Amino acid sequence: MAKFISKSQMEELKDACTFGIEGANKLLKKYVGIQARAYTAYNRYDKNDNFLAYTAYNYYDENDNFLANSDEADIYGLLEMAGVEVRHGG
């Protein structure tokens, strides 16, 4: 796994996040080897106190070590947990 990404790759990751997590997940795998595994979460409620399911992700590094889930970390925190540095050149 790369221990760094370029500033332009980081911008691409941030842009991908604005259009949905799936695109960002593909870039995380491509650039730094972080794998996203989807699961269905049920810990949200509507105004009538009904459970609402939604898709969340667990993230793992190239050694299959758990890093975080999508409810705990944003893109910056996830990269930090994986030990990935953003280099400002390029």
Side-chain angles (χ1 to χ4, degrees), residues 14 19 21 24-25 27 30 37 45 48 55 67 69 84 89:
K14 288 190 319 188
F19 297 106
I21 193 75
N25 288 343
L27 292 175
K30 176 182 175 181
R37 297 181 192 156
Y45 300 88
N48 297 318
T55 300
L67 296 170
N69 72 43
V84 176

Side-chain angles (χ1 to χ4, degrees), residues 1-89:
M1 174 162 92
K3 291 298 178 185
F4 66 89
I5 60 172
S6 68
K7 186 177 178 181
S8 62
Q9 288 171 321
M10 184 64 194
E11 290 299 320
E12 189 177 355
L13 275 168
K14 288 190 319 188
D15 289 345
C17 287
T18 62
F19 297 106
I21 193 75
E22 290 81 14
N25 288 343
K26 288 178 185 176
L27 292 175
L28 284 168
K29 177 73 173 168
K30 176 182 175 181
Y31 292 152
V32 293
I34 294 175
Q35 183 179 8
R37 297 181 192 156
Y39 68 94
T40 302
Y42 293 96
N43 63 349
R44 306 246 173 139
Y45 300 88
D46 67 10
K47 64 182 180 180
N48 297 318
D49 207 29
N50 295 314
F51 280 117
L52 297 176
Y54 67 99
T55 300
Y57 294 87
N58 285 328
Y59 292 98
Y60 298 85
D61 68 13
E62 76 280 5
N63 297 317
D64 211 30
N65 296 313
F66 177 76
L67 296 170
N69 72 43
S70 56
D71 289 335
E72 296 172 342
D74 61 8
I75 194 77
Y76 299 101
L78 184 58
L79 291 174
E80 183 179 335
M81 287 178 224
V84 176
E85 174 188 345
V86 179
R87 293 200 176 158
H88 294 286

